[in-house]
Amino acid sequence: MRRLIAAVLALIALASFAHAKETLTIYTYDGFTSDWGTGPKVKAAFETQCDCTVDFVALPDGVALLNRLKLEGAATKADIVLGIDTNLTAEAEATGLFAPYEVTASALTVPGGWSDKTFLPFDWGYFAVVFDGEKLKADQFRSLKEFIEKPGPEKIVIEDPRTATPGLGLLLWIKAVYGDQAKDAWEKLKPRILTVTPGWSEAYGLFTKGEAPMVLSYTTSPAYHMIAENTQRYQAFAFAEGHYMQIEVAGMTKSARNKELARRFLAFMISPGFQDLVPETNWMYPAGPISKPLPAAFDRLVKPAKSLIFSSEEVARNRKAWTEEWLAATSR
Amino acid sequence: MTGAASGGIAVVAVVAALTAAAFVPLIGHARTGAPLLDFLMAPYTLRITRFTLLQAGLSTLLSVGFAIPLARALAHQPQFMLRGTLLRLMALPLGLPALVGVLGIVEVFGQRGWVNGLLAAIGLDSRLEIYGLTGILLAHVFFNMPLAARMVLSGLEAIPYESERLSAQLGFTPAQHWRHVEWPAVRQVLPGTLLLVFILCAASFTIVLTLGGGPSATTLEVAIYQALRFDFDPGQAVVLALLQLLLCASCYLLLGRLGTDVDPGMTLGARAQPGSRGSGRRTGDWLLIAMAGAFIALPLVAIVISGLQAPLASLLAQPAVWQAASTSLAVALAATALAMAAAWLLAAARRDTLRMRDPPRWRRALDKVGGLVAGLTLAMPPIVLGAGWFVLALGFEGPFSIAPAAVVAGNALLALPFAVRIIEPAMLGHAQAYDRLVLSLGIKGLTRFRLIDWPVLGRPAGLAAALAMAMSLGDLGIITLFGSEDFLTLPYLLLQRMGTYRTTDAAGLALILGGLCLSLIWTAEWMARPARRSTP
């Protein structure tokens, strides 16, 4: 009996010891935490060096992530928020919930450099018109202008900028290239649009079903098909004006229980231990140094001549007006 | 106050409390000073309201318009091979997430779909172009016509044997038979059917955007989603949700005038077994059944074909899939049980009111409010409900501990209107036929339920449960706010795979989900099968 009590006491002690282990709570989007995503590998790798437990809370996407944070406010359980993109960082910053990262960011490899002090990038990519190689050739469209202004029967499925991040990406891309003429450009593009879907999944689903030979996606989408499905069928057009960028970032909250731990995670995030995983699990470009070369398929991807991007503040200021402009041009 | 009346009051109170629990916290989060009234009167809001009404109205007319002849044909042909299978397949579209159904429809009717392949093969130049209003209507008919047909059929199946026999003895022509026997029965279930289909179409989101061809096809639900996402303006979302509720409530009030009081008179309660009819009629019936069957089955076949190309064995080996399937199952069962209980209580309260010679005012009011509440829970945007409950939960335990309860409650609210629309007419008709006898014999409580009510009401209850389960199983509303790694349903998992290039996985999951849904429908209807008995 006495031995039993001792055993129980030992167990309790052990349990409370285990409990004493720090927990790092990361809010992210669910593509990141899925079984084959970056998340599980990151968790395993970081836990071996931090003597802590990494807990993911997964939300549908970056926008949902920011909204969740706005709802929770200072009471949020998040120590780290990982997965909003630069179109949203101004709004995220404005919530006042984020703390500066205070980590050396000099090794970052994001095109155009990095100056934000609150959010750190973990990966990036370019939006692109992805086409079906069985129906179109890579030289069909050599620029965004050709794509918009050259008439033809080839249709594209795009996402709705009111509901989906890639949809907003195309809106900003056209704005970056056409400026004040964006409305005309949309009117010219309209006959090419087969349909406008609420999210990326619907658009990509229609595209791979063969409904349209083109879809708005990323320059890195073909890498998935080359590596995971071993097919060259899907490729992206290279547009001469350059491609609009998406940079995905993470930040730590002011309410983070252990700021030191959160900082260690952010430092880990931009190190090879994390960055090596990005290309083949998140299908984006790494934002920091990697210890092994990019997979061969990445060499075959479109390398835009120019990276287009608006500052986060510009997007926050104009998104509504530009969306309305789009609506007016395409609704008739 | 009778037990039934307090039950009805309790249901109304719970639904009202759940709604308030969603709307009030969101209003609390509204941006102060936002000119909500201006927003309500903005051209954009007016335009999308008009489009919502247009597409929902047309979709409803088409769905129910096709459903009535189909239900008649099915009622005329009570025995043929595959009839049971067809009836169960008809409840299935309701259990498919919109995205899955849309991909199935596109495979058949899309740009490179089977129909266009056939047109090209026989050398026709014209092609079917579905993107636009056509696609929206096509998809809404696919999702809702089978549901409407089953509801109308349940009305036709309630026609007492005596009516059929009398009609045969009098030598009614099919037109007379329709006018004097079938139409009164259809009329009983028609308002409820129209309302359900209208609400389902008015609140449609993925179908409208994906097949609509462009932003001119925007419904209120899209704007609500937009308001809660990039704009993050809960006040706006609540205003739009109220507008949607208002539209559906007006529809409810309009349709209320269409219904009639139940008066089946005294019958022996035996179900009609219509005798032989003219052979011409037969051919017509078969043609209709075959065409509708093909229309419903083809997209389902497309879903099965894509699903079979998925690595099903490896999917079934993943713990996440099993976990999601069991969560879905548990949520669907719990939500259905709640919805059925609530519907039964509401219907019983209504029955007791009708039984009174001169019911007090409050009882009539309870009936009205109960009908309205039960009719409109489907019109509440799940994303608003979810967001509201989420905010509320932040103040207490935290959203993750209430996640299962929130999803079950939300799905029960979605399923409640189906259950009420099917159970209530059946219960009222049954009560009129048996009440006097039962009261004079002094049969009460559980005995009454077992001996008198269940043998007759079991079958509509089974249908109601089947539809409620399908509805809950395919739901992708509230779960998107409350879902987490520890709590995810099959449709949510499917959406996740779809969002990470794993389209074949998603196709396989759609097949698994469809199979699960079909077996639940099967079980519900089998458990509620009518007891065999010769004469009552």
Side-chain angles (χ1 to χ4, degrees):
Chain A
M1 189 66 199
R2 197 170 291 170
R3 267 165 75 182
L4 185 70
I5 292 171
V8 168
L9 283 179
L11 256 178
I12 291 171
L14 212 71
S16 55
F17 178 72
H19 193 76
K21 213 173 186 182
E22 290 272 3
T23 301
L24 183 73
T25 305
I26 303 178
Y27 282 17
T28 183
Y29 54 82
D30 56 23
F32 188 84
T33 59
S34 56
D35 291 343
W36 52 86
T38 323
K41 297 190 176 85
V42 163
K43 176 179 157 81
F46 189 63
E47 280 178 352
T48 57
Q49 51 171 278
C50 73
D51 189 35
C52 69
T53 310
V54 174
D55 254 356
F56 287 118
V57 173
L59 295 155
D61 60 18
V63 186
L65 209 54
L66 177 59
N67 287 342
R68 166 70 56 99
L69 217 65
K70 284 183 184 169
L71 285 177
E72 292 182 344
T76 183
K77 292 199 169 53
D79 298 313
I80 298 271
V81 175
L82 183 148
I84 58 179
D85 68 26
T86 43
N87 290 331
L88 295 172
T89 45
E91 267 183 72
E93 178 100 57
T95 61
L97 297 171
F98 287 92
Y101 51 80
E102 292 170 10
V103 168
T104 323
S106 53
L108 288 176
T109 54
V110 182
W114 195 253
S115 57
D116 193 315
K117 294 285 172 237
T118 311
F119 297 99
L120 266 176
F122 64 92
D123 68 14
W124 58 276
Y126 294 106
F127 290 110
V129 173
V130 172
F131 66 93
D132 182 345
E134 287 181 5
K135 293 171 199 151
L136 299 177
K137 288 200 163 52
D139 59 1
Q140 175 98 15
F141 301 113
R142 280 157 304 182
S143 67
L144 185 68
K145 280 217 157 72
E146 253 184 39
F147 171 68
I148 288 177
E149 290 163 25
K150 202 162 103 183
E154 307 85 6
K155 299 261 183 182
I156 184 170
V157 182
I158 65 167
E159 297 83 354
D160 195 320
R162 291 171 297 176
T163 51
T165 314
L168 182 60
L170 180 61
L171 185 86
L172 298 173
W173 192 359
I174 289 181
K175 196 78 201 174
V177 171
Y178 280 85
D180 292 342
Q181 308 299 308
K183 195 171 175 221
D184 294 343
W186 276 108
E187 276 165 9
K188 286 189 193 123
L189 181 60
K190 201 190 162 201
R192 253 197 206 294
I193 300 171
L194 178 72
T195 194
V196 182
T197 65
W200 179 89
S201 302
E202 290 86 358
Y204 217 75
L206 287 180
F207 170 66
T208 47
K209 269 242 181 295
E211 275 298 277
M214 297 181 280
V215 65
L216 182 78
S217 189
Y218 299 90
T219 56
T220 40
S221 300
Y224 173 81
H225 297 288
M226 285 191 266
I227 294 171
E229 294 173 348
N230 206 14
T231 171
Q232 314 267 340
R233 181 172 170 183
Y234 302 108
Q235 296 299 331
F237 289 119
F239 285 168
E241 300 90 342
H243 287 234
Y244 199 83
M245 268 179 92
Q246 182 182 34
I247 307 174
E248 296 193 292
V249 303
M252 58 183 279
T253 58
K254 278 184 184 154
S255 52
R257 276 150 299 176
N258 186 336
K259 295 211 167 45
E260 172 55 25
L261 183 63
R263 272 190 197 107
R264 270 170 64 199
F265 178 81
L266 290 176
F268 168 73
M269 184 182 82
I270 52 172
S271 75
F274 182 114
Q275 292 296 319
D276 280 350
L277 301 168
V278 165
E280 280 183 81
T281 53
N282 226 26
W283 305 102
M284 296 282 267
Y285 286 103
I290 44 177
S291 64
K292 56 179 187 189
L294 282 174
F298 274 68
D299 289 338
R300 300 225 283 275
L301 300 180
V302 163
K303 288 179 195 60
K306 205 176 147 197
S307 307
L308 306 173
I309 194 160
F310 285 110
S311 77
S312 189
E313 291 74 20
E314 267 177 302
V315 176
R317 217 170 29 241
N318 296 306
R319 184 177 53 75
K320 225 168 175 160
W322 291 347
T323 309
E324 268 161 29
E325 184 182 85
W326 167 81
L327 209 57
T330 53
S331 296
R332 276 172 301 108
Chain B
M1 197 191 290
T2 62
S6 37
I9 292 172
V11 171
V12 171
V14 168
V15 172
L18 285 173
T19 313
F23 282 33
V24 173
L26 283 185
I27 294 169
H29 259 263
R31 284 189 202 160
T32 43
L36 287 181
L37 203 66
D38 290 359
F39 168 73
L40 203 57
M41 301 307 293
Y44 177 64
T45 318
L46 293 179
R47 193 167 59 92
I48 59 175
T49 308
R50 210 167 48 227
F51 184 78
T52 307
L53 283 174
L54 171 79
Q55 66 83 13
L58 285 176
S59 301
T60 309
L61 287 181
L62 285 174
S63 301
V64 180
F66 287 126
I68 294 176
L70 173 62
R72 272 184 86 203
L74 284 165
H76 295 157
Q77 310 299 338
Q79 264 154 352
F80 61 87
M81 227 177 62
L82 296 179
R83 187 179 189 264
T85 311
L86 179 62
L87 289 187
R88 273 156 208 131
L89 281 182
M90 285 164 69
L92 189 58
L94 204 60
L96 296 176
L99 175 55
V100 172
V102 164
L103 290 179
I105 286 168
V106 157
E107 185 92 44
V108 179
F109 301 101
Q111 299 285 103
R112 298 173 64 88
W114 301 347
V115 171
N116 276 333
L118 195 71
L119 287 179
I122 57 173
L124 275 179
D125 238 8
S126 56
R127 289 167 57 85
L128 182 63
E129 293 277 350
I130 58 167
Y131 295 92
L133 192 58
T134 321
I136 297 176
L137 296 180
L138 190 74
H140 279 164
V141 172
F142 168 76
F143 274 97
N144 299 304
M145 185 271 280
L147 160 77
R150 287 234 41 189
M151 293 182 69
V152 173
L153 181 63
S154 84
L156 286 173
E157 280 176 341
I159 294 174
Y161 174 57
E162 288 87 339
S163 306
E164 294 280 358
R165 199 172 51 186
L166 198 62
S167 161
Q169 280 168 351
L170 291 174
F172 275 180
T173 62
Q176 287 169 323
H177 183 73
W178 162 250
R179 190 171 135 66
H180 297 292
V181 180
E182 291 171 326
W183 169 241
V186 169
R187 205 172 154 180
Q188 296 282 332
V189 290
L190 203 54
T193 309
L194 284 167
L195 179 71
L196 272 187
V197 174
F198 179 84
I199 295 179
L200 283 171
C201 296
S204 174
F205 175 73
T206 306
I207 292 173
V208 172
L209 265 188
T210 307
L211 295 177
S216 48
T218 296
T219 53
L220 283 170
E221 194 87 4
V222 175
I224 291 169
Y225 188 74
Q226 183 192 359
L228 274 179
R229 270 180 66 84
F230 281 127
D231 297 346
F232 195 69
D233 190 340
Q236 232 177 57
V238 168
V239 168
L240 287 165
L242 288 174
L243 183 59
Q244 181 167 311
L245 275 174
L246 195 73
L247 290 183
C248 294
S250 338
C251 178
Y252 174 83
L253 294 175
L254 270 175
L255 288 171
R257 302 182 175 272
L258 209 70
T260 44
D261 279 339
V262 192
D263 186 18
M266 283 295 284
T267 74
L268 291 174
R271 291 293 151 249
Q273 290 286 325
S276 63
R277 287 167 196 286
S279 60
R281 184 62 172 281
R282 274 225 132 104
T283 322
D285 287 347
W286 290 129
L287 206 65
L288 246 169
I289 294 173
M291 272 165 47
F295 177 73
I296 300 164
L298 280 177
L300 297 177
V301 169
I303 293 167
V304 171
I305 292 176
S306 324
L308 288 177
Q309 285 159 8
L312 285 173
S314 94
L315 274 178
L316 287 174
Q318 294 170 17
V321 173
W322 285 98
Q323 201 197 336
S326 51
T327 305
S328 276
L329 197 63
V331 166
L333 288 176
T336 303
L338 282 177
M340 293 294 290
W344 197 279
L345 288 173
L346 277 175
R350 177 105 200 268
R351 176 193 65 195
D352 290 2
T353 308
L354 287 178
R355 198 182 272 159
M356 293 176 182
R357 197 148 293 162
D358 186 22
R361 232 195 200 147
W362 67 267
R363 294 211 57 138
R364 286 195 207 143
L366 174 64
D367 280 358
K368 286 230 167 61
V369 175
L372 196 65
V373 158
L376 292 183
T377 50
L378 192 61
M380 280 190 280
I383 183 168
V384 172
L385 280 182
W389 291 346
F390 186 91
V391 174
L392 188 72
L394 284 173
F396 303 98
E397 287 286 291
F400 297 106
S401 44
I402 71 149
V407 174
V408 167
N411 287 4
L413 284 181
L414 284 183
L416 178 62
F418 292 89
V420 171
R421 292 294 154 230
I422 294 166
I423 290 175
E424 198 180 83
M427 192 190 273
L428 298 187
H430 180 61
Q432 290 252 325
Y434 281 91
D435 260 4
R436 271 162 286 190
L437 182 67
V438 171
L439 287 176
S440 69
L441 292 173
I443 305 176
K444 276 191 207 151
L446 264 184
T447 319
R448 177 189 161 122
F449 178 79
R450 191 169 57 84
L451 291 178
I452 311 294
D453 290 341
W454 184 249
V456 175
L457 296 182
R459 197 159 160 174
L463 172 62
L467 294 181
M469 261 189 281
M471 183 79 205
S472 170
L473 215 54
D475 175 57
L476 250 175
I478 296 177
I479 187 73
T480 51
L481 274 149
F482 285 94
S484 68
E485 269 175 292
D486 307 321
F487 185 71
L488 86 181
T489 60
L490 265 184
Y492 192 66
L493 188 69
L494 190 157
L495 203 68
Q496 264 190 20
R497 301 275 159 119
M498 192 92 194
T500 45
Y501 295 104
R502 273 144 178 99
T503 28
T504 44
D505 272 19
L509 288 174
L511 184 61
I512 295 172
L513 178 65
L516 183 65
C517 187
L518 203 58
S519 38
L520 277 184
I521 294 168
W522 212 289
T523 317
E525 299 211 72
W526 180 78
M527 278 171 67
R529 71 198 179 285
R532 282 189 180 281
R533 48 186 195 145
S534 42
T535 43

